């Protein structure tokens, strides 16, 4: 058998072009469904684990999928907003505790997530470098943000303008980076976290400016009497919150309607969760969803698509196998003289069959090896590949 | 000696001891976590006092305001804010007291607004200038009076909130906290009655206050108080004396409340 393998090996290496094409075809046919399965398993694991860790989400009525994808994976989908009073209502129910989320703005391509410090406890996120944000205007960034932008504690990040062509829109805010989170291998690694009030300042609901009642610069005053002062457009609003100007920052309007995109609702127990879901079942403005249900629905659709892809792969695989058979039959015809010579030298038909079988074994073995290497690479990078291909 | 002479070898006894030790260690750890002191950070002295009275030896109460600083207008540094962030409970006064609270990040779950239950009883502060800029329209930075504890009935409600928050944080100690709170509530009730008796002697009698911080005291005990803004350790300037004279013509007060002893020259 070793002799047959050696002669087959010599043949395969002599006809490199043909052998490489065959190896590539077999490799791809084996690799594609296996790699797809690996990535789907990883995406299922990633999607489900985060969804399972998040018991309930409260948001505005609308697409539950947008709400979950935005709140859990910080994707670009923008669910309708809810007011801060929704959070107060949940807390007042004494059935659960609400963690606010407000995700609308970005800084250098990364999502700015407005939340409270409870979020970090909830997700078991720890500071790796620097410290937790303490003052308004400070941020803590995920490990990917730090490594990709090359920034760390003490540096600054500027929020991106809402709309490049809307000159009267949201002012960019320069945010100090207070700390960098330890890598969590999840969407939190690629997020910029700020206090919800900092996000509202970016939104323009809060701002800081010189004290109009005490300013010596009369050119900023349009009108002044005992009860009111009206400033003109010259009044500069601070674009960065510092220790010197933080006292001047204030919010306007009814705080109960300050916007949020979602609430992570931590119910006291299963009974409280059921009661809370019942209360919001027919609510006019809000919905309470179990992220794991929404993600399971999404995965069901993904697996339905996978069945179609599997079918296509089976047909392509069959076509490749038939092509391989054809290649071997044709190569036998081309090698007719070679076969005759071997036959005249005294080799039996069985020996010739063994030679052909050895060639097939070598090609399949080479394909299996290549496929294993590629699958190992995919497997090693499946988490980041899934985040890049499916969840980004 | 006994072990050697009986049917149980020492190795077996050691094995049983280790197993019992392993089984009891989680209980010991659990007991340890329950008896661990509750770390409480407060924004002012009254709340810190109530927390100490209610928690006793089971709480570690901190009020990191440096001596000489007014807790209502103090701004903590980053290290102090971090300490507040890491506390088991952060006791806030509410009613706009300690403005720094609105400018820092504190964990919502461990933050307790001890006056939330009587939010409707806050006294709005008048005389604030409105201003206008940008598209937001008129607005003012008016707030509410924040020295809520000067009304002892409200002080008892602060204490009740602290008791509830501590009991939620340490359910195993709830009975102890409740008993301590009841004692404190009785003391505050006694003070309230005493204050009503004393204030009854000054009913409708015009009184001046060195600072506009006695709104709750005046409302609860029916005192007729008007305020200036004088510091006890600073001699008022001639303008302030003139303004006082004008005020006294319309409001003939012969008693003035100070948060501490004024300078002898001022008193004379």
């Amino acid at each position: 058998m070793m002799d047959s393998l050696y002669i087959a090996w010599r043949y395969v290496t002599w006809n490199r072009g043909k052998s490489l094409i065959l190896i590539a075809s077999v490799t791809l046919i084996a690799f594609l469904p296996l790699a797809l399965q690996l990535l789907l398993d990883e995406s299922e694991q990633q999607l489900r684990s985060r969804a399972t860790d998040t018991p309930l989400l409260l948001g505005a009525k609308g697409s539950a999928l947008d709400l979950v994808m935005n709140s859990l994976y910080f994707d670009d989908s923008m669910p309708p907003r809810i007011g801060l009073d929704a959070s107060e209502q949940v807390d007042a129910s004494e059935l659960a505790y609400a963690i606010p989320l407000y995700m609308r703005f970005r800084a250098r391509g990364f999502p700015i997530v407005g939340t409270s410090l409870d979020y970090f406890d909830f997700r078991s996120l720890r500071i790796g470098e620097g410290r937790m944000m303490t003052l308004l205007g400070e941020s803590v960034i995920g490990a990917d943000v730090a490594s990709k932008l090359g920034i760390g504690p003490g540096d600054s990040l500027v929020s991106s303008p809402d709309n490049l062509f809307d000159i009267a829109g949201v002012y960019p805010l320069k945010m100090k980076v207070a700390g960098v989170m330890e890598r969590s291998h999840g969407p939190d690694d690629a997020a910029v976290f700020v206090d919800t009030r900092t996000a509202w300042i970016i939104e323009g609901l809060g701002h800081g400016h010189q004290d109009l009642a005490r300013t010596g610069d009369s050119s900023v005053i349009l009108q002044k009497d005992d009860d009111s002062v009206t400033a003109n457009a010259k009044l500069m609003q601070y674009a960065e919150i510092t220790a010197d100007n933080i006292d001047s920052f204030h919010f306007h309007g009814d705080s109960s309607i300050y916007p949020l995109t979602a609430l992570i609702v931590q119910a006291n127990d299963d009974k409280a969760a059921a009661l809370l879901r019942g209360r919001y079942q027919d609510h006019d403005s809000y919905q309470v969803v179990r992220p794991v249900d929404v993600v399971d629905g999404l995965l069901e659709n993904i697996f339905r698509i996978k069945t179609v892809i599997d079918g296509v792969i089976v047909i392509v695989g069959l076509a490749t196998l038939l092509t391989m058979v054809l290649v071997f039959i044709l190569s036998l015809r081309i090698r007719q003289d070679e076969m005759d010579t071997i036959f005249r030298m005294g080799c039996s038909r069985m020996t010739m069959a063994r030679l052909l079988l050895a060639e097939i074994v070598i090609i399949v073995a080479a394909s299996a090896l290549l496929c294993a290497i590629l699958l190992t690479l995919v497997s090693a990078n499946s988490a980041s590949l899934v985040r890049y291909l499916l969840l980004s | 000696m006994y072990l050697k002479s009986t049917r149980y070898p020492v190795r077996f006894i050691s094995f049983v001891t280790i197993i019992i030790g392993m089984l009891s260690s989680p209980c010991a750890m659990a007991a340890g976590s329950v008896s661990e002191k509750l770390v409480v950070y407060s924004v002012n002295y009254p709340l810190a006092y109530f927390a100490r009275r209610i928690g006793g030896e089971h709480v570690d109460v901190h009020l990191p305001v440096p001596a000489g600083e007014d807790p209502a207008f103090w701004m903590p540094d980053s290290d102090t804010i971090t300490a507040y962030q890491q506390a088991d409970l952060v006791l806030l006064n509410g009613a706009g007291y300690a403005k720094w609270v609105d400018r820092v990040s504190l964990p919502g779950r461990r933050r307790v607004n001890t006056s939330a239950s009587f939010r409707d009883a806050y006294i709005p502060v008048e005389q604030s200038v409105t201003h206008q800029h940008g598209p937001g329209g008129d607005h003012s930075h008016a707030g509410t009076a924040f020295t809520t504890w000067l009304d002892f009935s409200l002080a008892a409600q602060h204490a009740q909130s602290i008791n509830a928050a501590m009991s939620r944080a340490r359910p195993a100690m709830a009975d102890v906290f409740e008993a301590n709170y009841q004692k404190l509530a009785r003391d505050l009730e006694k003070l309230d009655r005493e204050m009503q008796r004393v204030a009854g002697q000054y009913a409708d009698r015009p009184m001046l206050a060195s600072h506009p911080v006695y709104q709750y005291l005046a409302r609860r005990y029916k005192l007729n108080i008007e305020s200036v803004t004088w510091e006890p350790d600073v001699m008022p300037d001639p303008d302030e004396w003139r303004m006082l004279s004008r005020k006294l013509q319309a409001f003939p007060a012969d008693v003035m409340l100070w948060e501490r002893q004024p300078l002898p020259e001022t008193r004379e």
Side-chain angles (χ1 to χ4, degrees), chain B residues 16-257:
Chain B
V16 171
T17 311
I18 290 166
I19 293 297
I20 291 170
M22 283 170 68
L23 288 174
S24 61
S25 59
C27 306
M29 280 167 68
S33 64
V34 166
S35 62
E36 209 171 84
K37 279 190 174 186
L38 192 70
V39 178
V40 178
Y41 271 69
S42 170
V43 294
N44 63 21
Y45 177 76
L47 300 183
Y49 172 78
F50 297 156
R52 282 190 193 110
R53 284 284 306 265
I54 296 167
E57 61 186 8
H58 307 290
V59 296
D60 200 356
V61 181
H62 298 263
L63 177 61
V65 185
E69 288 276 2
D70 184 345
F73 301 101
W74 167 67
M75 181 70 201
D77 58 23
S78 285
D79 289 343
T80 311
I81 297 167
T82 303
Y84 271 96
Q85 288 176 340
Q86 289 166 353
D88 294 320
L89 285 178
V90 178
L91 302 179
L92 306 181
N93 189 82
Y97 185 90
K99 290 267 189 287
W100 64 268
V101 169
D102 294 331
R103 295 174 188 131
V104 305
S105 298
L106 292 175
R109 193 159 201 172
R110 285 173 271 146
R111 194 172 51 190
V112 185
N113 178 359
T114 57
S115 65
S117 61
F118 58 87
R119 205 172 266 161
D120 295 343
Y122 288 167
I123 298 174
V125 174
E126 293 168 1
Q127 295 175 337
S128 66
V129 175
T130 65
H131 64 264
Q132 185 183 26
H133 54 84
D138 270 352
H139 52 262
S140 77
H141 299 166
T144 49
F146 50 65
T147 46
T148 44
W149 62 88
L150 292 179
D151 172 342
F152 291 116
S153 68
L154 297 183
Q157 292 190 53
H158 278 293
Q160 195 175 22
S161 295
I162 294 169
N163 174 34
M166 284 184 175
S167 299
R168 275 197 301 275
R170 288 284 185 276
M173 304 304 302
D175 290 345
V176 177
F177 294 155
E178 177 63 22
N180 290 343
Y181 161 70
Q182 290 299 340
K183 276 186 212 160
L184 174 63
R186 279 196 294 276
D187 288 351
L188 288 170
E189 206 178 321
K190 204 170 144 191
L191 267 176
D192 186 49
R193 281 199 303 273
E194 181 66 12
M195 194 65 203
Q196 280 179 345
R197 190 188 62 75
V198 172
Q201 298 166 17
Y202 293 88
D204 298 327
R205 186 169 158 185
M207 295 169 86
L208 269 181
S210 63
H211 277 104
V213 291
Y214 297 99
Q215 298 91 336
Y216 293 94
L217 184 90
R219 184 178 68 181
R220 172 71 179 170
Y221 305 106
K222 299 182 178 62
L223 297 171
N224 183 14
I225 299 177
E226 285 209 7
S227 305
V228 290
T229 310
W230 285 14
E231 298 300 331
D233 48 359
V234 177
M235 182 66 178
D237 62 31
D239 280 349
E240 286 173 319
W241 282 114
R242 269 194 297 277
M243 281 173 69
L244 179 69
S245 299
R246 277 205 297 274
K247 191 181 261 290
L248 287 176
Q249 283 169 9
F251 189 74
D254 57 354
V255 176
M256 188 161 176
L257 294 176

Side-chain angles (χ1 to χ4, degrees), chain A residues 97 117-118 121 131 133-136 195 197 207 209 212 227-231 235 246-247 250 252 266, chain B residues 75 78 81-82 85 101-111 128-133 138-139 141:
Chain A
Y97 181 76
L117 295 190
D118 304 300
D121 291 338
R131 57 166 172 79
M133 56 196 179
T134 52
L135 297 174
L136 286 188
D195 194 285
R197 286 165 299 165
H207 58 204
H209 54 75
L212 286 174
D227 298 324
S228 71
V229 183
T230 304
L235 180 73
I246 193 166
D247 288 344
H250 53 276
H252 296 305
Q266 279 185 286
Chain B
M75 181 70 201
S78 285
I81 297 167
T82 303
Q85 288 176 340
V101 169
D102 294 331
R103 295 174 188 131
V104 305
S105 298
L106 292 175
R109 193 159 201 172
R110 285 173 271 146
R111 194 172 51 190
S128 66
V129 175
T130 65
H131 64 264
Q132 185 183 26
H133 54 84
D138 270 352
H139 52 262
H141 299 166

Side-chain angles (χ1 to χ4, degrees), chain A residues 26-45:
Chain A
V26 176
T27 304
L28 278 177
I29 287 304
F31 170 74
L32 279 178
L34 292 174
L36 190 65
Q37 189 61 51
L38 259 178
L39 291 179
L40 285 174
D41 286 349
E42 177 62 32
S43 63
E44 182 186 3
Q45 196 265 329

Side-chain angles (χ1 to χ4, degrees), chain A residues 108-134:
Chain A
R108 296 177 68 182
F110 293 98
I112 297 175
V113 181
T115 187
S116 70
L117 295 190
D118 304 300
Y119 182 83
F120 302 97
D121 291 338
F122 174 70
R123 293 265 184 239
S124 304
L125 299 174
R126 284 192 298 273
I127 292 286
E129 209 185 327
R131 57 166 172 79
M132 182 49 78
M133 56 196 179
T134 52

